[in-house]
């Protein structure tokens, strides 16, 4: 099992550019999440999904969009990248939402210059 | 607002020198407290879930405990391979989406 796979691992964007961070899981988990991790800050939830076709905003959704067309995939779209979106992005999944451990991907280091 | 505070921010231990990491929390309706380990350049990896005060869980040199206000991660006779950042997270609320709040972590370095 690969678990949660994220691509790319590193990316540099110019201000105003757009990109999609890819996330796929092979554990047949219903719940998937996107977090960002900034130095000295705890992981912050951007968006989450409770199943294919269903997504909802987390704590810091502004500037991002998501879609969930299949159980396996949960891409995160950045439109009009800004320096404030420089961060490490983690995708995670879980079998259930309550009291369930999260399985994380290895992260995407994004710099917006 | 749910709050999770971890201390110390960083901890340097000699190999074999036992110590504890602290996670204090303020939440309404605790559902569970989680400990994760994060190695540089990688995503967090699950260690433990604790559900109620008085509960304890162990895994190799790690032991997690929970009270109504805080959790401790005790590390007994640590080895260099235990060096990592340890994250605490709490899940709270009822019905619908139950929010998970992460602490900022304790960076542990174990020196041979």
């Amino acid at each position: 099992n690969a678990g949660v796979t994220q691509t790319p691992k590193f990316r540099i964007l110019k201000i105003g550019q757009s990109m999609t961070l890819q996330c796929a899981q092979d554990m047949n988990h219903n719940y998937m999440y996107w977090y960002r991790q900034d130095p000295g800050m705890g992981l912050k939830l951007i968006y989450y999904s409770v199943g294919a076709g269903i997504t909802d905003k987390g704590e810091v959704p502004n500037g991002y969009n998501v879609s969930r067309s299949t159980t396996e995939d949960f891409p995160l779209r950045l439109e009009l990248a800004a320096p404030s979106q420089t961060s490490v992005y983690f995708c995670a999944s879980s079998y259930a939402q309550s009291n369930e451990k999260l399985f994380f991907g290895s992260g995407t280091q994004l710099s917006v210059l | 607002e749910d709050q999770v505070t971890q201390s110390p921010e960083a901890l340097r231990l000699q190999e074999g020198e036992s110590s504890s990491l602290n996670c204090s929390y303020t939440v309404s309706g605790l559902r569970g407290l989680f400990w994760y380990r994060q190695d540089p350049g990688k995503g967090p990896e699950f260690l433990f879930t604790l559900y109620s005060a008085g509960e304890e869980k162990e895994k190799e040199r790690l032991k997690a405990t929970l009270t109504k206000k805080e959790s401790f991660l005790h590390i007994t006779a640590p080895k260099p391979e235990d060096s990592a950042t340890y994250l605490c997270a709490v899940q709270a609320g009822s019905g619908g989406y139950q929010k998970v709040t992460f602490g900022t972590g304790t960076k542990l370095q174990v020196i041979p």
Side-chain angles (χ1 to χ4, degrees):
Chain A
N1 279 349
V4 178
T5 302
Q6 289 185 240
T7 57
K9 193 157 182 66
F10 302 96
R11 184 73 185 266
I12 298 174
L13 286 181
K14 293 183 179 179
I15 294 172
Q17 287 185 320
S18 299
M19 76 164 293
T20 299
L21 281 66
Q22 302 292 342
C23 175
Q25 53 94 7
D26 62 0
M27 297 173 282
N28 201 31
H29 285 167
N30 290 322
Y31 293 82
M32 295 188 74
Y33 314 82
W34 275 104
Y35 285 90
R36 60 179 286 172
Q37 186 176 44
D38 298 301
M41 305 284 287
L43 286 156
K44 298 295 184 186
L45 182 67
I46 305 171
Y47 270 96
Y48 67 98
S49 170
V50 304
I54 307 170
T55 63
D56 207 346
K57 296 178 180 179
E59 300 171 82
V60 290
N62 291 344
Y64 308 95
N65 275 301
V66 294
S67 60
R68 183 104 180 263
S69 57
T70 67
T71 299
E72 294 78 19
D73 299 299
F74 190 40
L76 177 72
R77 178 82 176 163
L78 278 71
E79 303 281 2
L80 298 176
S84 60
Q85 293 178 304
T86 294
S87 188
V88 181
Y89 292 85
F90 290 100
C91 179
S93 72
S94 64
Y95 178 71
Q97 204 271 314
S98 181
N99 296 333
E100 275 290 326
K101 62 185 177 185
L102 298 174
F103 292 82
F104 285 87
S106 57
T108 296
Q109 172 90 53
L110 175 68
S111 295
V112 182
L113 305 174
Chain B
E1 184 179 324
D2 298 343
Q3 289 192 338
V4 178
T5 303
Q6 291 189 247
S7 61
E9 289 186 12
L11 182 63
R12 199 175 185 204
L13 299 174
Q14 290 291 133
E15 185 172 0
E17 179 187 3
S18 302
S19 188
S20 297
L21 313 183
N22 178 263
C23 171
S24 62
Y25 62 91
T26 305
V27 298
S28 178
L30 178 72
R31 303 286 294 181
L33 185 141
F34 304 84
W35 283 98
Y36 290 86
R37 169 189 172 130
Q38 186 173 19
D39 292 301
K42 296 191 176 181
E45 181 180 349
F46 172 79
L47 292 172
F48 303 108
T49 308
L50 301 167
Y51 297 103
S52 58
E55 190 174 1
E56 299 182 351
K57 288 195 176 171
E58 287 188 68
K59 180 181 179 180
E60 296 180 359
R61 295 176 292 282
L62 301 177
K63 179 180 177 180
T65 61
L66 181 65
T67 72
K68 289 186 178 180
K69 294 183 178 180
E70 58 192 349
S71 177
F72 291 94
L73 185 65
H74 306 279
I75 303 176
T76 302
K79 297 182 178 182
E81 53 261 42
D82 295 321
S83 297
T85 296
Y86 291 85
L87 302 177
C88 171
V90 296
Q91 186 167 37
S94 59
Y97 178 77
Q98 294 160 12
K99 183 182 176 184
V100 177
T101 303
F102 281 85
T104 53
T106 292
K107 185 174 183 179
L108 173 67
Q109 183 183 14
V110 182
I111 303 162

